[in-house]
């Protein structure tokens, strides 16, 4: 990340140290998922700890997909995929850095996501497809907390459900050569899972790549969403 001290006044820095800001890496640029991800697994390769009720919903979604029925999935009607699923779509996205926020701009229907830097995560926000996100630097890692999600989206491309109680914590860490971005995701949702769990994915930088225009046109017949 560019030295934010150039842009921020001393008052805006607050409790943040100048050293921490200077050490923040540059995450700007275009990134793409390194490996296709269908069903999310925990970091140790296990199935997420779904409650019995959520497991029944998940099984129903997979049974519908096996029959070619994706009508339960808003992405088949051009609705946003939600989080963390948006980060699992195999299409590029660009990170844009600003003094007080970061933007993730995705090729998928040109979806924008804003992350407010150094703000408290509100507890009473209206639900949105991509929720409400705040971020901070923890050494060389960008930590993003998000809540306020619509409960009709899926967590992954395999139909895993969640509720309106979803709290997502993302930890982004840049490789030493600056070409890979590791993402550790912690998912808390007591209405859907018996305990919090963590998954991980990696992105590869695409130097010189420009995100093209992309528009999703809804059709009367539900079709398989992109993943």
């Amino acid at each position: 990340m560019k030295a934010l001290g150039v842009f921020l006044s001393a008052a805006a820095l607050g409790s943040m140290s100048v050293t921490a800001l200077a050490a923040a890496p540059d995450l700007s640029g275009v990134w793409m998922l390194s490996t296709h991800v269908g069903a999310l697994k925990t970091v140790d390769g296990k199935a997420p700890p779904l409650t019995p009720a959520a497991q029944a919903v998940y099984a129903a979604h997979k049974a519908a997909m096996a029959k070619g029925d994706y009508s339960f999935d808003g992405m088949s009607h051009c609705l946003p995929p939600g989080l963390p699923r948006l980060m699992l779509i195999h299409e590029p996205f660009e990170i844009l850095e600003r003094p007080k926020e970061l933007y993730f701009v995705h090729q998928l229907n040109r979806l924008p996501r804003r992350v407010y830097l150094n703000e408290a995560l509100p507890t009473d926000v209206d639900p949105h497809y991509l929720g409400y996100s705040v971020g901070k630097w923890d050494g060389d890692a960008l930590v993003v907390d998000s809540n306020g999600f619509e409960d009709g989206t899926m967590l992954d491309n395999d139909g895993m459900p969640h509720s309106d109680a979803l709290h997502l914590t993302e930890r982004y860490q840049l490789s030493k050569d600056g070409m890979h971005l590791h993402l550790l995701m912690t998912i808390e949702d007591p209405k859907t899972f018996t305990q919090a769990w963590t998954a991980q994915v990696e992105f590869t930088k695409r130097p010189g790549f420009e995100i093209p225009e992309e528009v999703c046109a809804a059709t009367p017949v539900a079709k398989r969403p992109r993943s």
Side-chain angles (χ1 to χ4, degrees):
M1 186 175 183
K2 297 175 182 176
L4 292 184
V6 174
F7 301 98
L8 297 178
S9 65
L13 289 173
S15 61
M16 298 172 60
S17 71
V18 175
T19 302
L21 285 172
D26 183 2
L27 305 185
S28 62
V30 177
W31 300 89
M32 191 165 180
L33 199 65
S34 301
T35 305
H36 173 80
V37 178
L40 271 179
K41 301 291 185 182
T42 63
V43 288
D44 52 2
K46 297 180 180 179
L50 288 156
T51 64
Q55 183 64 57
V57 174
Y58 189 25
H61 288 170
K62 290 196 286 187
M65 288 190 292
K67 298 176 182 178
D69 178 10
Y70 297 89
S71 57
F72 68 89
D73 187 353
M75 273 194 72
S76 65
H77 307 290
C78 290
L79 294 176
L83 288 171
R85 188 182 183 187
L86 180 58
M87 304 307 299
L88 308 179
I89 302 297
H90 204 66
E91 291 190 8
F93 64 91
E94 185 172 7
I95 297 178
L96 304 174
E97 302 191 22
R98 299 292 183 266
K100 296 183 179 180
E101 59 249 334
L102 294 176
Y103 289 90
F104 289 71
V105 181
H106 293 257
Q107 177 174 319
L108 179 70
N109 210 21
R110 302 294 283 186
L111 278 172
R113 177 191 179 196
R114 179 163 58 182
V115 177
Y116 299 94
L117 292 176
N118 307 309
E119 291 189 11
L121 184 65
T123 58
D124 58 349
V125 295
D126 293 330
H128 292 84
Y129 287 104
L130 300 182
Y132 189 100
S133 299
V134 299
K136 65 180 180 181
W137 289 99
D138 179 16
D140 63 351
L142 173 68
V143 179
V144 179
D145 278 325
S146 304
N147 64 6
F149 294 101
E150 292 274 0
D151 62 4
T153 61
M154 307 296 123
L155 287 179
D156 62 12
N157 298 309
D158 200 45
M160 188 181 300
H162 69 85
S163 78
D164 58 359
L166 173 64
H167 175 214
L168 174 66
T169 303
E170 300 160 277
R171 187 179 183 89
Y172 293 87
Q173 204 143 21
L174 192 65
S175 63
K176 290 183 179 180
D177 63 3
M179 295 302 295
H180 300 279
L181 188 60
H182 182 255
L183 169 57
L184 201 63
M185 303 175 286
T186 299
I187 294 168
E188 301 171 84
D189 183 350
K191 295 181 181 179
T192 306
F193 302 99
T194 58
Q195 64 185 52
W197 56 283
T198 302
Q200 60 185 348
V201 294
E202 185 178 88
F203 307 98
T204 301
K205 198 164 192 176
R206 299 286 301 274
F209 186 88
E210 293 186 6
I211 294 179
E213 181 179 58
E214 181 174 292
V215 177
C216 182
T219 59
V221 180
K223 58 184 179 179
R224 180 179 179 84
R226 284 161 295 177
S227 60

